[in-house]
Amino acid sequence: MRIVITGAAGFVGSHLVDMFLSLGYEVVAIDNLITGKRSNLTVNKNLTFLEQNVYKYIEVEGKVDWVLHFASPASPIDFMKYPIPILKVGSSGTINCLGLAKAKGAKFFLASTSEVYGDPLEHPQKETYVGNVDPISERSVYDESKRFAEAATMAYHRFHKINVRIIRIFNTYGPRMRPEDGRVLSNFITQAMTGKPITVYGDGSQTRSFQYVSDLVNGITKLMDVEYQLPVNLGNPNEFTILELANIVKKITNSSSEIIFKPLPDADPKRRRPDISRAKEILKWDSKVSLEDGLKKMIDYYKSIGLTKV
Ligand code: UDP
């Protein structure tokens, strides 16, 4: 098997690279390194790294069995920092990846997101829910480019008969999420570990459901092994308020940080929890890692890269 992964030096992409290498596959890892890190990739004779902007062009020689499109900044702070690259990687980037799959006769796998549901009016969110997205909010660059990416994927599937997979990834965490990433768990853990105030946005009553990265990787592998072209939610259905989460992190890190409240970002979804019955049925998959166990592994990772308690 020869696999192309875009966003391969990022948080999720790099875990996929490790998994494919462990299976003895050849991997072509593409990243423009705006949020990914070269150091997330190991040295391996079966791994080729290409520093390319997938929304400009993709050049890969030789046969390819799968194209996995995982490139995109995905943290809400990146929505303000990199709005145009996000729009481009989800639109032209997806078209280029689909074009590569078409040219190589490869299968195509899209990393989509729970953000396609926007601020959901249905709870929990099933794949059949079409979403509640504000097209001009600060989050819209990510939401709309991923919605476009799904539309493009289905169009190439229907028109060009490309064999596709689409996953909608719900909040995921684990080692290699950058300490400065800006998402809630990396913020809370780094703040708790360094004795800084834990920043809860809004009143902390908004909810999220957190999936450990190995559960996600497991679901991705299973979906590659079945024939199913419609979107599949991958997430952990255990739902927490953000204030609960702040207290859990504080307790696990044994931190004396105070919890402070900051303004809620634009269009921040009020509730989010995946309905994973489709994944359970089609993939015989379920999330396994508890929040407590996952958090401990993420804390160990931050310790290993030098983040220490003060
Ligand atoms: N959040 C927070 N403090 C932070 C970072 C995030 O309270 O330091 C909140 C954010 O407002 C949102 C939730 O945590 O309601 C999850 O945010 P994240 O950035 O992880 O991703 P999202 O799920 O919003 O895409």
Side-chain angles (χ1 to χ4, degrees):
M1 282 271 248
R2 190 155 185 265
I3 304 209
V4 172
I5 309 182
T6 74
F11 162 50
V12 175
S14 65
H15 285 283
L16 283 174
V17 171
D18 288 349
M19 191 266 300
F20 291 130
L21 290 174
S22 76
L23 294 172
Y25 297 172
E26 251 185 79
V27 178
V28 179
I30 306 182
D31 209 296
N32 65 359
L33 301 177
I34 62 170
T35 54
K37 287 184 182 150
R38 188 76 175 82
S39 58
N40 284 339
L41 295 171
T42 49
V43 177
N44 186 299
K45 66 173 177 24
N46 286 332
L47 176 67
T48 309
F49 177 70
L50 304 176
E51 191 172 335
Q52 290 182 3
N53 257 326
V54 294
Y55 54 77
K56 290 192 182 145
Y57 62 92
I58 309 176
E59 219 177 284
V60 177
E61 284 175 11
K63 79 146 193 166
V64 175
D65 298 292
W66 277 95
V67 177
L68 285 88
H69 186 32
F70 277 70
S72 180
S75 170
I77 57 167
D78 294 334
F79 303 165
M80 258 72 75
K81 250 179 165 164
Y82 306 113
I84 313 298
I86 289 173
L87 285 166
K88 287 182 177 173
V89 76
S91 55
S92 329
T94 303
I95 298 282
N96 288 346
C97 290
L98 283 160
L100 178 69
K102 182 168 165 269
K104 302 283 185 184
K107 296 178 191 174
F108 175 79
F109 196 117
L110 175 70
S112 184
T113 167
S114 55
E115 284 286 336
V116 299
Y117 300 123
D119 189 5
L121 303 176
E122 176 180 300
H123 191 81
Q125 294 80 50
K126 283 197 194 69
E127 291 86 348
T128 46
Y129 178 52
V130 295
N132 177 39
V133 175
D134 175 352
I136 57 163
S137 76
E138 283 168 352
R139 293 176 95 92
S140 67
V141 291
Y142 188 62
D143 302 12
E144 297 291 12
S145 72
K146 289 290 189 184
R147 288 172 69 95
F148 176 91
E150 289 198 14
T153 302
M154 289 311 290
Y156 271 69
H157 171 58
R158 294 191 182 107
F159 192 77
H160 288 305
K161 311 286 176 240
I162 308 282
N163 194 349
V164 301
R165 305 287 184 276
I166 299 173
I167 51 166
R168 293 183 179 151
I169 305 174
F170 283 67
N171 294 67
T172 302
Y173 68 100
R176 300 196 191 137
M177 181 174 262
R178 299 163 296 165
E180 72 283 8
D181 180 272
R183 276 176 282 193
V184 67
L185 274 172
S186 42
N187 272 7
F188 284 3
I189 296 174
T190 54
Q191 290 162 346
M193 283 176 74
T194 56
K196 297 205 179 88
I198 299 177
T199 54
V200 168
Y201 300 160
D203 62 5
S205 64
Q206 71 274 30
T207 68
R208 294 293 187 274
S209 313
F210 298 93
Q211 155 175 255
Y212 188 67
V213 66
S214 63
D215 282 335
L216 173 64
V217 168
N218 190 247
I220 291 168
T221 327
K222 288 187 173 232
L223 185 57
M224 289 172 77
D225 285 343
V226 299
E227 282 301 326
Y228 191 80
Q229 279 74 33
L230 296 176
V232 179
N233 287 340
L234 290 179
N236 185 320
N238 287 331
E239 185 180 0
F240 298 88
T241 69
I242 295 304
L243 189 54
E244 275 170 342
L245 188 72
N247 282 301
I248 292 169
V249 170
K250 210 176 137 157
K251 194 163 156 226
I252 291 187
T253 50
N254 200 16
S255 167
S256 51
S257 289
E258 60 167 334
I259 293 176
I260 61 165
F261 294 87
K262 294 217 160 176
L264 194 66
D266 184 29
D268 198 289
K270 283 179 272 312
R271 297 183 78 186
R272 186 184 286 156
R273 170 155 67 99
D275 180 317
I276 56 166
S277 22
R278 186 176 279 183
K280 279 185 173 168
E281 189 194 322
I282 291 163
L283 310 178
K284 314 284 172 245
W285 171 91
D286 205 343
S287 52
K288 292 203 174 80
V289 183
S290 70
L291 183 63
E292 189 171 336
D293 287 350
L295 285 179
K296 284 182 183 153
K297 289 182 202 204
M298 192 156 162
I299 291 162
D300 286 346
Y301 167 72
Y302 284 146
K303 282 185 190 153
S304 77
I305 58 168
L307 203 78
T308 44
K309 241 179 154 148
V310 289

